[in-house]
Amino acid sequence: REAGLPPGPPTVPILGNVHIFPTEFAHFKFTEWARKYGGIFSLKVGPSTVVVLTDVAAVKELLDKRSATTSDRPAIHIADRITGGLHMVLARSTSTWKILRKTSAAILTAQATAQHLPIQQAEATQLLYDILRSPQASPFPFMCQSIRGELVIMLYGKRAPRYDTPEISGFFNVTHAFNAILGPGAAPPVDAMPFLKFVPERWAKWKRECKRIRNLQRTLYFGMMEETRDRMRRGEGNGCYMEEVVGREKELGMDDEMTSYFGSALQETGSETTASYLQSLILALVAYPEAQKKAHEEIDRVVGEDRLPTLDDLEHMPYIRAMISETHRFRPVGPLGIPHSTLATEEYQGYIIPKGATIFVNIYLIIDLGGIFHDPALFDDPENFIPERYMLAENGTKPGVDGSDLKATFPFGFGRRICPGMHLAHNSININAMNLLWAFDFKPDIDADGNPIMVDTTAYKTGVANAPQPFKCRIAPRSPEKAKIIEREFLDAADTFAKFEVGLNEEDKEYVAKLRAYAG
Ligand code: HEM
């Protein structure tokens, strides 16, 4: 470790800390090291430097205030090889990324988000209906399908009603293959050992896999863009986001290649994150029945029995607003966010952060180990799900603590890289959280003797988005009247869906017709 770098675990020659670098659940190990080495510590990965921040003031200063030099991404050769450097989330801070970023700001405006609200409401209603219809089935595939479905409509103006709809199943296949090859150990460490890039393809299986995934991505994403363009040519535009990008390509500085990858990045990032959040919310509701009871009482008081909640209701539901914030804190979707990288050397509190260093922010920390969202110095009883903390202080911090540096946007990232889909995500989360609470009771599963089987709130999958391991729970509508309203609202949602039910294949058409006949 070079002089001046933040402290960190002892290094060995050449490898640095490679041999101890965590390959899964890295936030746990990072937490342990933060305790030992402080809120800003460093690791050496061969010649490269990784800096991990768990100090709120350092996050604010380095990633927000000095965002101009800390908004690059680390080089990921495999991702660039597959996407040609056009995947907005993983792209370096290039002129191309700047155009993609500008495009996201141009189309994901507050006004456009409001216009797409009826689609999010219709999909959220379909989710209630799916759960109601299949009480024995796991609700989680329905959640993934619903969030993905709303994005396909909002982005491409096309309804994707089933898990087996080609845009949905194809998407899951492509995303799975892409994430798999980016996972630890799936390909040789080409970024640390760049000479590996020159191994001929016939001896490099990973290169053939990159090619295969590139073809899969291009077929799916270019196909969806072309379908949108064809619809526009026929004069059948329906106001989706990608119509705007296609229509303004030249003005925005985009070309077809960029447009296709732009849409794909929004889809990929938007669907996994929001669906994972909702799964964590359900896990918390099952594990904390008292909190669920309070939320039920509040929503019944404000909304009553006769209608579904609307976004306006949230203003009158402080407990549910607090619950939504607490879920972000309790199990953040991105415990380490997405790493940033530095474009120039920075100095902070006497430490050097060299040009090209990777920066992680550890917003999730575990029992007794200190850190941002689970730091006992900032939060009372941080390991428990306690929505009330967000009613007592804006940022949920304990009495006497100044939480003003702890921004509510932390779960959505930092500086110039902050999540551009944040407003869409908030609406989707708010509508779905209210709907699910209004409609259902979530209880632990029971064993053969009728005893509740407690869920494990720490059992999480590995991967970029922090989703719970599949768990069982019992879900029941809260009253027969509410079940009837869900059916009625589902039929009413048909009007919203109708204009997007274009180009459906025969199975999807049949599915939609059957579903409506069943509800009617
Ligand atoms: C619960 C929902 C979501 C969470 C928690 C979330 C969180 C994040 C985080 C932590 C980042 C990294 C920011 C950084 O590097 O500092 C990010 C980036 C991004 N998010 Fe989200 N996100 C969510 C939903 C969405 C949605 C709905 C969309 C699009 C429709 C979206 C699109 C993106 C994109 C394109 C980026 C990359 C931005 C860039 O690198 O310039 N996200 N998100």
Side-chain angles (χ1 to χ4, degrees):
R1 176 174 289 105
E2 294 85 343
L5 290 184
T11 54
V12 297
I14 302 174
L15 294 178
N17 300 116
V18 170
H19 60 304
I20 52 168
F21 200 94
T23 52
E24 56 180 28
F25 300 118
H27 48 290
F28 291 163
K29 195 71 199 168
F30 285 178
T31 300
E32 201 182 308
W33 283 329
R35 185 141 216 234
K36 201 160 174 190
Y37 302 106
I40 165 161
F41 72 87
S42 73
L43 296 158
K44 290 298 297 182
V45 179
S48 330
T49 303
V50 173
V51 172
V52 182
L53 306 178
T54 48
D55 178 279
V56 185
V59 173
K60 187 177 169 191
E61 175 64 30
L62 288 168
L63 292 189
D64 278 340
K65 287 202 181 149
R66 303 194 205 171
S67 180
T69 50
T70 56
S71 289
D72 198 8
R73 293 273 190 232
I76 308 179
H77 174 74
I78 303 257
D80 286 349
R81 195 177 183 91
I82 295 173
T83 67
L86 296 178
H87 194 294
M88 180 174 167
V89 185
L90 304 175
R92 307 293 306 270
S93 177
T94 55
S95 53
T96 303
W97 169 72
K98 285 181 187 142
I99 294 172
L100 295 170
R101 190 76 212 185
K102 212 175 71 196
T103 302
S104 69
I107 68 158
L108 298 172
T109 58
Q111 198 191 6
T113 307
Q115 270 165 14
H116 287 88
L117 192 59
I119 297 167
Q120 293 183 302
Q121 270 160 336
E123 280 290 347
T125 307
Q126 158 114 36
L127 173 60
L128 295 184
Y129 182 66
D130 284 338
I131 297 175
L132 181 73
R133 219 168 39 103
S134 313
Q136 301 304 326
S138 164
F140 306 124
F142 292 135
M143 283 176 181
C144 297
Q145 140 72 25
S146 167
I147 299 301
R148 165 77 177 145
E150 69 172 36
L151 279 165
V152 178
I153 298 186
M154 291 189 294
L155 288 166
Y156 291 98
K158 181 169 180 184
R159 174 123 197 254
R162 295 175 309 141
Y163 206 81
D164 293 331
T165 300
E167 285 82 3
I168 301 273
S169 54
F171 164 80
F172 285 122
N173 289 339
V174 172
T175 313
H176 179 76
F178 189 52
N179 288 344
I181 197 159
L182 292 176
V190 274
D191 295 307
M193 300 180 196
F195 64 89
L196 289 170
K197 291 178 203 163
F198 303 104
V199 176
E201 193 176 305
R202 64 180 178 284
W203 293 319
K205 193 171 158 223
W206 63 274
K207 282 192 174 175
R208 298 196 293 279
E209 181 61 1
C210 285
K211 214 179 221 176
R212 185 184 78 85
I213 298 169
R214 181 170 168 81
N215 288 337
L216 282 177
Q217 282 188 342
R218 293 170 79 84
T219 307
L220 181 67
Y221 298 137
F222 281 61
M224 290 171 81
M225 185 198 64
E226 278 308 329
E227 214 178 308
T228 308
R229 174 169 284 150
D230 282 349
R231 224 181 32 238
M232 289 165 75
R233 279 195 198 112
R234 295 197 303 272
E236 294 169 8
N238 53 26
C240 65
Y241 282 122
M242 292 306 286
E243 279 172 11
E244 191 177 345
V245 183
V246 169
R248 293 174 60 190
E249 247 185 17
K250 275 215 178 78
E251 174 206 333
L252 292 164
M254 304 276 280
D255 58 27
D256 279 2
E257 191 89 10
M258 290 163 81
T259 299
S260 299
Y261 273 104
F262 175 76
S264 79
L266 294 186
Q267 280 181 78
E268 274 176 25
T269 324
S271 47
E272 273 208 58
T273 43
T274 311
S276 302
Y277 174 94
L278 292 177
Q279 294 173 40
S280 288
L281 172 66
I282 303 302
L283 181 66
L285 292 177
V286 176
Y288 293 88
E290 272 307 307
Q292 183 176 176
K293 192 164 160 245
K294 284 184 191 167
H296 280 161
E297 282 165 7
E298 183 177 74
I299 205 160
D300 289 349
R301 202 169 52 246
V302 175
V303 179
E305 286 272 300
D306 307 330
R307 63 174 178 90
L308 285 184
T310 66
L311 218 46
D312 293 339
D313 292 322
L314 197 57
E315 200 186 315
H316 309 291
M317 296 196 282
Y319 191 81
I320 291 178
R321 282 203 311 272
M323 179 176 259
I324 290 168
S325 301
E326 175 68 347
T327 307
H328 277 301
R329 185 204 67 84
F330 184 60
R331 295 293 178 257
V333 170
L336 290 177
I338 299 174
H340 287 221
S341 176
T342 46
L343 288 160
T345 298
E346 286 292 342
E347 208 227 300
Y348 179 73
Q349 300 225 325
Y351 295 133
I352 300 290
I353 300 171
K355 180 177 173 190
T358 297
I359 303 183
F360 282 102
V361 178
N362 189 358
I363 61 170
Y364 178 91
L365 295 177
I366 52 166
I367 303 174
D368 289 343
L369 288 176
I372 298 186
F373 273 163
H374 287 240
D375 183 352
L378 295 176
F379 297 97
D380 269 332
D381 196 5
E383 278 315 303
N384 274 310
F385 183 78
I386 308 173
E388 286 81 354
R389 69 175 91 244
Y390 280 93
M391 297 170 80
L392 297 173
E394 195 189 339
N395 292 315
T397 44
K398 63 187 189 185
V401 168
D402 174 11
S404 53
D405 281 350
L406 203 68
K407 286 203 204 157
T409 54
F410 268 21
F412 292 92
F414 312 95
R416 296 183 185 184
R417 286 280 181 169
I418 199 164
C419 175
M422 198 161 51
H423 303 300
L424 276 185
H426 280 316
N427 279 359
S428 186
I429 284 172
N430 293 342
I431 294 163
N432 279 297
M434 284 191 291
N435 267 5
L436 291 164
L437 282 163
W438 178 88
F440 298 115
D441 263 323
F442 298 90
K443 290 194 175 136
D445 204 14
I446 42 173
D447 66 17
D449 300 323
N451 300 316
I453 306 169
M454 292 324 291
V455 285
D456 178 357
T457 59
T458 62
Y460 268 68
K461 294 186 204 163
T462 57
V464 183
N466 199 31
Q469 296 277 7
F471 59 92
K472 287 201 170 147
C473 61
R474 285 175 299 146
I475 305 179
R478 295 184 55 223
S479 71
E481 290 72 26
K482 287 188 169 179
K484 281 212 175 66
I485 287 172
I486 295 172
E487 283 170 358
R488 191 193 72 205
E489 292 281 338
F490 171 68
L491 284 174
D492 288 353
D495 291 342
T496 306
F497 284 135
K499 75 171 173 173
F500 305 109
E501 287 169 352
V502 282
L504 293 189
N505 66 22
E506 286 311 312
E507 282 123 310
D508 282 342
K509 274 189 206 154
E510 204 178 306
Y511 175 81
V512 168
K514 260 196 198 152
L515 210 60
R516 291 205 185 119
Y518 183 82

